[in-house]
């Protein structure tokens, strides 16, 4: 038997270090060739690291959230044959195969959990359910789990809710899942032993909650935090909000969907907004720009590479629809849908997540009345879309119900004056309120 060492690969583009986002294996797991071992993240994309060999995981070279240098030991795999561990490193490799992992030169060996499937609750005997009542608890200190102060027990939301309903403090429950994750079966065992130290609940189950959670920012969430901080630190934002009557726009959209929806797909408001933005940028090219504030240079683009902010389970990502100026409504709708799916499933490429020249941010039905969107650095403008609501409006001296939508837009005040920002938004408004103008060349 030998040890095959997989090092952090050189991903290119001059990247010297990457963040280890997630392990898909743990120490002792059998792996096969091409099996995904870990996810790592650069400044632009998440990369999957596959295994080049068959074998058994002997050591993990870092923990989720750790920044590792290119060339550092990522993982040691025990394989048939000699492996690729150099002879001079054999002494250091010996402890890796021992039952208790020893520190490796690159990083301390750890075994973070891969995301397990949530186990289903086992049936709880009536006697156990009775024992789970908050008032009927006996303490057994010898069987408690010792956790450090502030350490959060690992458990799925379903397990946490069930523990809450049972009056069980997860702080004292032993977890038998990966990395000590607490499973439903662990709750059953805990209750069956009569190990309970929760204060009695008040009427209706109310009781004081003194739990605290420490949640590290890792992976995409860390990148989002850094990006937003950089944007707010470097860009003096100002926002401009305008309400728009989209009654005629919505009527046109309904007619188009009725006539062509089945064969071409249903249109949302977003492709129409993208079209209005493209047309308005012909008058205001300074908005379709990127500002290199280190060099003091603003670059205006003829191509509209439209960023579309997309919410995913991992966090906010900006997918880039390239050459929006060359797309018709249905091509635009198809591309927006494709990019959103790629972002949500983690299949978006580096090019699909970078290079935007102006961005649209929309929360859809959750859009609220007003937002203050953060500019996607190094761009100079972002258009925030709020929800469409019916409101009473005065038109020609009469009260009528109209469909209204606010645009909440932010601009870089270093290169965009307030008057130009207002004129730009008013140009978009004029196009959306008279949608036939979207198609007049």
């Amino acid at each position: 038997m030998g040890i095959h060492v997989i090092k952090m690969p050189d991903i290119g583009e001059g990247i010297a270090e990457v963040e280890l986002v997630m392990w898909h294996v743990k120490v002792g797991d059998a792996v096969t060739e091409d099996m995904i071992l870990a996810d790592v993240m650069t400044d632009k994309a998440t990369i999957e690291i596959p295994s080049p060999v068959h074998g058994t995981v002997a050591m993990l070279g870092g923990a989720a959230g750790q920044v590792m240098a290119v060339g550092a030991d990522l993982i040691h795999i025990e394989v048939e044959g000699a492996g690729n561990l150099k002879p001079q490193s054999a002494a250091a490799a010996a402890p890796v195969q021992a039952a208790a992992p020893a520190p490796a030169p690159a990083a301390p060996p750890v075994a973070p959990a891969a995301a397990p499937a949530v186990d289903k609750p086992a049936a709880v005997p009536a006697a156990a359910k009775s024992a789970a009542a908050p008032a009927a608890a006996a303490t057994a200190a010898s069987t408690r789990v010792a956790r450090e102060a502030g350490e959060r027990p690992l458990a799925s939301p379903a397990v946490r809710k069930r523990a809450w309903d049972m009056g069980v403090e997860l702080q004292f429950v032993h977890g038998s899942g990966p990395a000590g994750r607490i499973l439903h079966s662990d709750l059953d065992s805990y209750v069956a032993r009569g190990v309970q130290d929760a204060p009695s609940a008040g009427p209706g189950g109310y009781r004081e909650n003194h739990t605290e959670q420490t949640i590290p920012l890792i992976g995409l969430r860390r990148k989002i935090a850094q990006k937003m901080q950089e944007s707010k630190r470097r860009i003096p934002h100002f926002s401009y909000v305008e309400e728009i009557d989209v009654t005629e726009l919505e009527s046109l959209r309904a007619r188009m969907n009725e006539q062509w929806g089945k064969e071409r797909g249903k249109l949302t408001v977003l492709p129409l907004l993208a079209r209005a933005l493209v047309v308005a940028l012909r008058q205001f090219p300074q908005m379709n720009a990127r500002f290199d504030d280190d060099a003091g240079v603003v670059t205006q683009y003829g191509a509209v590479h439209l960023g579309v902010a997309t919410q995913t389970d991992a966090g906010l990502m900006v997918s880039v629809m390239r050459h929006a100026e060359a797309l018709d409504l249905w091509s635009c709708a198809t591309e927006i849908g494709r990019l959103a799916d790629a972002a949500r499933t983690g299949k978006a490429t580096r090019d699909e997540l970078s290079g935007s020249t102006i961005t649209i941010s929309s929360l859809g039905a959750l859009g609220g009345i007003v937002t203050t969107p953060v500019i996607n650095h190094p761009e100079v403008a972002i258009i925030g879309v709020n929800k469409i609501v019916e409101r009473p409006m005065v038109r020609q001296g009469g009260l009528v119900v109209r469909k209204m939508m606010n645009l909440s837009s932010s601009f870089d005040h270093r290169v965009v004056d307030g008057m130009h920002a207002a004129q730009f938004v008013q140009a978009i408004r004029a196009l959306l309120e008279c949608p036939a103008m979207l198609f007049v060349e």
Side-chain angles (χ1 to χ4, degrees):
M1 302 293 288
I3 295 295
H4 185 93
V5 180
I6 300 175
K7 296 184 178 295
M8 185 66 72
D10 183 355
I11 301 173
E13 298 189 2
I15 294 173
E17 59 184 19
V18 297
E19 181 183 351
L20 179 57
V21 177
M22 176 188 295
W23 283 108
H24 294 282
V25 295
K26 61 182 183 297
V27 173
D29 281 357
V31 299
T32 58
E33 187 174 352
D34 294 329
M35 179 177 174
I36 301 302
L37 302 174
D39 293 342
V40 300
M41 174 172 281
T42 69
D43 288 339
K44 296 182 179 179
T46 299
I47 310 296
E48 294 178 336
I49 306 298
S51 172
V53 297
H54 297 271
T56 303
V57 177
M59 188 198 79
L60 305 180
Q66 181 175 336
V67 176
M68 300 183 66
V70 170
D73 285 8
L74 176 65
I75 186 171
H76 287 197
I77 299 178
E78 189 178 73
V79 296
E80 295 288 344
N84 68 349
L85 193 64
K86 295 181 180 179
Q88 60 267 29
S89 303
V96 172
Q97 303 180 48
V110 293
V118 178
D119 61 321
K120 296 182 179 179
V124 182
K129 289 182 179 180
S130 175
T139 61
S142 60
T143 58
R144 289 182 183 175
V145 178
R147 287 190 172 92
E148 296 181 2
E151 181 183 358
R152 183 187 182 220
L154 289 175
S156 69
V159 170
R160 292 186 180 280
K161 183 179 185 304
R162 185 166 176 244
W164 174 270
D165 295 338
M166 296 168 68
V168 172
E169 290 285 356
L170 290 180
Q171 185 70 19
F172 305 121
V173 180
H174 171 73
S176 62
R181 183 180 292 270
I182 299 171
L183 310 177
H184 287 286
S185 56
D186 296 326
L187 288 181
D188 298 335
S189 299
Y190 181 87
V191 171
R193 291 196 306 267
V195 183
Q196 186 77 287
D197 194 23
S200 297
Y206 292 100
R207 61 188 175 91
E208 293 183 2
N209 187 343
H210 298 282
T211 60
E212 297 181 2
Q213 297 183 25
T214 301
I215 304 174
L217 293 182
I218 64 175
L220 180 61
R221 179 52 59 185
R222 176 189 287 177
K223 296 299 181 186
I224 292 172
Q226 292 172 344
K227 182 78 171 179
M228 293 299 172
Q229 183 179 18
E230 184 75 356
S231 293
K232 292 297 286 186
R233 183 182 70 84
R234 303 186 74 158
I235 301 175
H237 287 59
F238 77 95
S239 295
Y240 180 89
V241 181
E242 179 61 283
E243 65 176 2
I244 299 173
D245 187 337
V246 293
T247 307
E248 300 302 328
L249 185 77
E250 282 290 86
S251 177
L252 174 64
R253 186 174 70 89
R255 288 284 300 275
M256 297 173 82
N257 284 337
E258 181 181 354
Q259 184 165 350
W260 294 298
K262 291 183 179 179
E263 56 187 80
R264 300 186 184 181
K266 297 286 187 179
L267 288 176
T268 64
V269 176
L270 204 51
L272 292 160
L273 289 169
R275 177 63 184 174
L277 190 62
V278 165
V279 175
L281 285 173
R282 296 172 184 171
Q283 294 178 257
F284 300 91
Q286 69 269 36
M287 306 299 175
N288 190 46
R290 295 162 68 94
F291 180 30
D292 183 345
D293 44 359
D294 291 327
V297 174
V298 177
T299 303
Q300 296 181 10
Y301 297 88
V304 181
H305 299 321
L306 183 61
V308 181
T310 304
Q311 187 64 44
T312 72
D313 292 339
L316 185 68
M317 304 178 75
V318 178
S319 303
V320 182
M321 181 169 59
R322 299 196 177 277
H323 290 288
E325 77 281 2
L327 301 178
D328 62 26
L329 290 181
W330 279 276
S331 298
C332 182
T334 300
E335 186 66 359
I336 289 172
R338 185 190 70 79
L339 290 169
D341 288 341
R344 293 188 181 108
T345 57
K347 297 179 181 178
T349 65
R350 192 174 304 164
D351 288 342
E352 291 171 340
L353 297 174
S354 60
S356 56
T357 56
I358 190 169
T359 296
I360 287 181
S361 177
S362 173
L363 291 175
L366 300 176
I369 299 174
V370 172
T371 53
T372 54
V374 177
I375 298 170
N376 185 25
H377 180 268
E379 297 166 25
V380 301
I382 183 170
I383 308 301
V385 183
N386 299 113
K387 64 183 179 181
I388 297 175
V389 296
E390 288 188 336
R391 291 207 299 266
M393 303 294 293
V394 176
R395 290 172 65 92
Q396 298 179 350
L399 195 63
V400 294
V401 175
R402 306 292 289 180
K403 293 182 178 179
M404 307 298 295
M405 178 187 73
N406 287 353
L407 284 186
S408 301
S409 306
S410 296
F411 301 89
D412 186 338
H413 218 328
R414 295 171 299 178
V415 295
V416 178
D417 296 330
M419 182 185 71
H420 293 152
Q423 290 173 338
F424 176 55
V425 173
Q426 291 301 327
I428 296 174
R429 175 187 177 183
L431 290 164
L432 295 177
E433 292 190 340
C434 184
M437 298 302 295
L438 292 172
F439 313 101
V440 175
E441 296 295 338

